[in-house]
Amino acid sequence: MTQQVNSAGGAQNSTSVERKGDRELIVTRTFNAPPSTVYRAWSQPELFQRWWVPKSASGVSLVSCDMDVRTGGKYRLEFGAGGSDTMAFYGKYLEVVPNERIVWTNDEGEEGAVTTVTFEDQGGKTRLNFHEVYPSKEALEEALQGSAAALPEQLAQLDELLSSVGE
């Protein structure tokens, strides 16, 4: 399955979503910003909070964002929808190479993926590769119906943020 999704700003940067085999998902997009800037948006909580929650998920907000982005560090993202109930996503960073790659676990359930994001320099632009490996075919299917379905929108929001964030 390959799906091309254009950003809200037009067809200049599009998001490609590809299922690879029974357990892998690959999402790619090119950003008009250098890898160091794109990496900052993934590794600094104050920037990450500004783009990670899809705007279409009305009423949902990231109420807590704790990120220790370094090899061996941990993260915890807590989402809420206005009530007292929240949902937490958490894990650990397996590998962090600043401006090049971040690898983390998704430990909130047995079906959590290992996610690798790479930042490839394309002459002042960045080709972002988001790669997830799920423990089972069923876990990938569930993600494609849920969290992974929002990735094109999230990356379009990141694109908007990057246009307002300098080096």
Side-chain angles (χ1 to χ4, degrees):
M1 167 190 111
T2 300
Q3 173 188 8
Q4 290 285 107
V5 180
N6 291 332
S7 70
Q12 64 184 16
N13 290 330
S14 64
T15 299
S16 169
V17 178
E18 180 183 356
R19 179 184 182 147
K20 185 176 175 190
D22 286 343
R23 301 184 319 125
E24 293 181 62
L25 178 68
I26 300 170
V27 180
T28 58
R29 184 179 180 109
T30 299
F31 295 96
N32 298 327
S36 59
T37 303
V38 181
Y39 173 82
R40 279 186 19 230
W42 282 84
S43 61
Q44 293 180 358
E46 62 277 5
L47 291 176
F48 188 82
Q49 287 180 280
R50 291 172 54 189
W51 67 271
W52 186 250
V53 178
K55 290 178 182 156
S56 66
S58 62
V60 176
S61 64
L62 186 51
V63 296
S64 173
C65 181
D66 298 314
M67 300 167 65
D68 180 11
V69 185
R70 62 180 174 82
T71 301
K74 295 184 178 182
Y75 74 90
R76 181 180 174 85
L77 308 176
E78 203 167 331
F79 297 87
S84 59
D85 291 339
T86 59
M87 184 183 309
F89 294 88
Y90 52 90
K92 59 186 167 293
Y93 295 102
L94 301 177
E95 180 185 5
V96 176
V97 180
N99 306 325
E100 292 181 22
R101 73 191 282 125
I102 305 172
V103 182
W104 69 87
T105 62
N106 295 273
D107 295 340
E108 60 277 348
E110 293 176 10
E111 298 296 309
V114 172
T115 305
T116 301
V117 175
T118 59
F119 310 90
E120 293 179 21
D121 188 357
Q122 303 278 300
K125 295 183 178 185
T126 302
R127 178 181 167 94
L128 181 121
N129 296 296
F130 180 98
H131 180 233
E132 288 191 311
V133 178
Y134 290 84
S136 68
K137 179 180 180 179
E138 296 74 24
L140 173 57
E141 291 295 333
E142 186 177 321
L144 287 170
Q145 299 306 312
S147 59
L151 281 166
E153 182 180 357
Q154 290 169 288
L155 295 180
Q157 290 174 185
L158 172 56
D159 208 2
E160 287 177 33
L161 173 70
L162 292 171
S163 68
S164 69
V165 175
E167 276 282 333

